[in-house]
Amino acid sequence: MLLLAAAFLVAFVLLLYMVSPLISPKPLALPGAHVVVTGGSSGIGKCIAIECYKQGAFITLVARNEDKLLQAKKEIEKHSINDKQVVLCISVDVSQDYNQVENVIKQAQEKLGPVDMLVNCAGMAVSGKFEDLEVSTFERLMSINYLGSVYPSRAVITTMKERRVGRIVFVSSQAGQLGLFGFTAYSASKFAIRGLAEALQMEVKPYNIYITVAYPPDTDTPGFAEENRTKPLETRLISETTSVCKPEQVAKQIVKDAIQGNFNSSLGSDGYMLSALTCGMAPVTSITEGLQQVVTMGLFRTIALFYLGSFDSIVRRCMMQREKSEIANKTA
């Protein structure tokens, strides 16, 4: 009886693997495609642009700093695979004025054709204790990280629906999957992206448009270096429990998942575990993905409890050390 049950289970899993490709999205062909990357002048955004360019795409880079854009353009053009490819640079703040964003997207489409893939990578991180952060910091991060993704997506969605094809990528963060000490402003702005992406995917799936939410870990970028300058000790110690990834590695995974139409894009074992743990009511791209989440949920939750206990311990130790230091200073 046990052997029969095991055989049935194996047959069921094999059937899922065979049926899964039939319900998965058709991969997006990047050769000749028009890819728009916001925040494309440095870090993960620039590496995503390079990865797409290597596969034959036409690139529109969008960022605020014109000098950095031109420098990034030169770097990207070194990776061309044919003499027809183009890198277009547009300097604009995607978080300030929707009409301005809509106009620059129209300009890009007039020059390079309709947008096949939009990668929302513009963003920034600021860390600090909740009561130490200025209220304006919460407003600024919501504007840049959330509205800075809403505006470009809103500008391309009508054309994508008319053509019944497209990919939209939202670059969130692992801090958009769990709230961590020091990230009350940052995590909230990244969690908002998840809600937007889930609702939007339900709206656009009938039009053959697929949304990808990327949750990169700490990545060696100029933005990460700037973030580390003001990180509270607790945040820094928690971050050090995982390794720092290379932006090229992160970009390859994001592009691969976007091409396939995967809703979640994560990197490494920690990323896989977090995505499975926080999947909730998120859409799945294949039956096998859903099955894996069901099977691993209990184990991953057990592991996560140990992580959370470790993080709480770090926070308590830092608090005790700070209190001891304050008492020593008063008695000195």
Side-chain angles (χ1 to χ4, degrees), residues 91-275:
S91 176
V92 68
D93 186 338
V94 293
S95 67
Q96 291 300 309
D97 184 345
Y98 171 70
N99 290 328
Q100 193 175 16
V101 174
E102 187 179 34
N103 287 335
V104 298
I105 292 295
K106 284 181 180 178
Q107 292 172 26
Q109 293 192 123
E110 287 169 2
K111 293 180 179 179
L112 300 183
V115 176
D116 297 289
M117 183 192 295
L118 167 67
V119 182
N120 291 292
C121 202
M124 69 176 297
V126 177
S127 58
K129 290 182 182 178
F130 181 66
E131 67 273 20
D132 293 338
L133 292 171
E134 297 290 339
V135 171
S136 60
T137 299
F138 290 84
E139 296 169 345
R140 184 157 52 102
L141 288 186
M142 284 302 293
S143 176
I144 295 170
N145 294 341
Y146 178 66
L147 293 179
S149 294
V150 171
Y151 293 166
S153 302
R154 179 66 179 76
V156 303
I157 200 67
T158 300
T159 304
M160 284 186 175
K161 288 176 80 171
E162 288 172 354
R163 298 174 64 228
R164 293 182 180 266
V165 64
R167 298 286 191 272
I168 297 177
V169 180
F170 296 101
V171 179
S172 181
S173 163
Q174 286 188 348
Q177 294 175 295
L178 77 161
L180 292 173
F181 187 105
F183 282 147
T184 50
Y186 179 63
S187 281
S189 66
K190 290 299 188 178
F191 265 83
I193 289 174
R194 164 76 175 266
L196 166 67
E198 287 191 11
L200 183 59
Q201 179 62 96
M202 193 175 289
E203 288 188 19
V204 300
K205 189 175 181 179
Y207 296 89
N208 194 37
I209 300 167
Y210 288 90
I211 310 298
T212 297
V213 186
Y215 300 103
D218 286 343
T219 306
D220 186 13
T221 64
F224 181 64
E226 181 65 24
E227 174 192 335
N228 277 338
R229 292 178 59 222
T230 58
K231 259 184 185 173
L233 176 61
E234 293 90 340
T235 312
R236 192 165 65 250
L237 291 174
I238 290 172
S239 296
E240 287 173 358
T241 58
T242 59
S243 58
V244 177
C245 292
K246 295 290 183 184
E248 296 84 2
Q249 184 184 11
V250 173
K252 278 189 176 183
Q253 187 64 50
I254 292 174
V255 172
K256 178 183 176 182
D257 286 323
I259 288 172
Q260 296 298 327
N262 296 333
F263 184 78
N264 281 301
S265 178
S266 59
L267 195 68
S269 57
D270 286 348
Y272 177 76
M273 182 179 74
L274 268 176
S275 290

Side-chain angles (χ1 to χ4, degrees), residues 27-47:
L28 179 71
L30 278 187
H34 181 190
V35 178
V36 174
V37 184
T38 71
S41 62
S42 64
I44 295 173
K46 183 177 71 174
C47 291

